[in-house]
Amino acid sequence: TDPEPPVPDWSLQARDPEIDDGLVMDPDAPVTPTQAMEQLALRDLAYAGSRFPAHVLADSRNALVTHPDVLVLPATFAIVERTDSGWQPVGAPHATAHAARRSLQFGLLWTWPRTHGLIPFEADPHTTARTATEKEVSAADLAALAAYVAAADELRAAPRVNRVRLDDTVYQIGRTRRLVRWGPDGPEPPRPSDVAGHDPERMHLVMDEDGNVLPES
């Protein structure tokens, strides 16, 4: 049921829609019967399990009382990688499944060959695993890049391909549902147990118009 482009654009330079672009959070907006069932099913969702500290579990249970309703946000899509301990995300979420597929293609053809040392970082920015030549990389690296190209071709072979393998690693497009808990005072604020995602010291850096950090005066 997720939207798919009638003609997939696989260009590495394509622009994707922003997550939550134009989203208005309105808990009173009408929903379909399916959406209502999903909201009802998520009302009692709370953290559980021994891997969560006690204060995190307590805050999560408390939120069920202080903010009992949920507002389900649009789905997002991300690349996930299978590891020995399960699945873990690779990179940022995307607004559509195809945007995540194209991001996976970009990783296979451009980013990962460089981070894995198969294409030099100083190579032409337009060089990919598909276009690299023996003038730019060694014959051995060129042979290794063939696996990256094969995985990218597999991703594009048919519509809605959501899983590919590169050597011993499986990559899949994962669909994520997000929610905001809602109460009489509106959306749930940050919890006492929440951990800040940014270093406060980095929040006050002075930068020039090009984004370069200026030295302290």
Side-chain angles (χ1 to χ4, degrees):
T1 60
D2 297 309
E4 295 281 356
V7 180
D9 182 355
W10 290 101
S11 170
L12 297 182
Q13 293 76 36
R15 298 293 299 272
D16 296 316
E18 297 290 338
I19 293 176
D20 297 334
D21 185 25
L23 174 68
V24 177
M25 292 194 299
D26 181 3
D28 298 322
V31 295
T32 66
T34 300
Q35 292 171 329
M37 291 177 61
E38 186 174 27
Q39 289 181 347
L40 183 62
L42 293 173
R43 280 175 60 96
D44 296 330
L45 180 66
Y47 291 135
S50 59
R51 72 181 186 274
F52 295 103
H55 64 294
V56 172
L57 295 174
D59 282 351
S60 186
R61 290 192 298 268
N62 184 61
L64 300 181
V65 177
T66 61
H67 295 80
D69 296 321
V70 296
L71 177 65
V72 180
L73 301 180
T76 59
F77 305 85
I79 307 166
V80 292
E81 173 187 345
R82 189 167 65 192
T83 67
D84 293 339
S85 59
W87 294 91
Q88 66 179 13
V90 180
H94 300 270
T96 67
H98 185 69
R101 295 188 197 105
R102 189 164 52 236
S103 176
L104 176 55
Q105 177 196 233
F106 187 83
L108 291 166
L109 295 180
W110 199 97
T111 308
W112 298 338
R114 284 169 168 78
T115 58
H116 294 164
L118 300 176
I119 296 178
F121 276 102
E122 61 271 17
D124 188 311
H126 295 94
T127 298
T128 69
R130 194 186 302 281
T131 64
T133 67
E134 291 188 0
K135 293 182 179 180
E136 299 171 295
V137 303
S138 68
D141 289 343
L142 198 61
L145 287 173
Y148 290 75
V149 176
D153 288 344
E154 181 183 352
L155 189 66
R156 299 175 56 164
R160 303 193 183 188
V161 173
N162 291 316
R163 179 182 293 199
V164 296
R165 177 184 294 273
L166 175 62
D167 298 328
D168 294 330
T169 304
V170 175
Y171 296 99
Q172 182 164 310
I173 305 304
R175 186 179 192 271
T176 303
R177 291 303 263 154
R178 305 166 297 147
L179 62 84
V180 175
R181 300 207 70 89
W182 211 276
D185 58 343
E188 180 190 8
R191 299 173 183 174
S193 58
D194 286 346
V195 177
H198 301 281
D199 182 352
E201 294 298 323
R202 300 289 294 177
M203 299 293 287
H204 303 287
L205 296 178
V206 179
M207 299 183 179
D208 63 18
E209 60 184 4
D210 297 321
N212 300 310
V213 178
L214 298 176
E216 295 183 1
S217 57

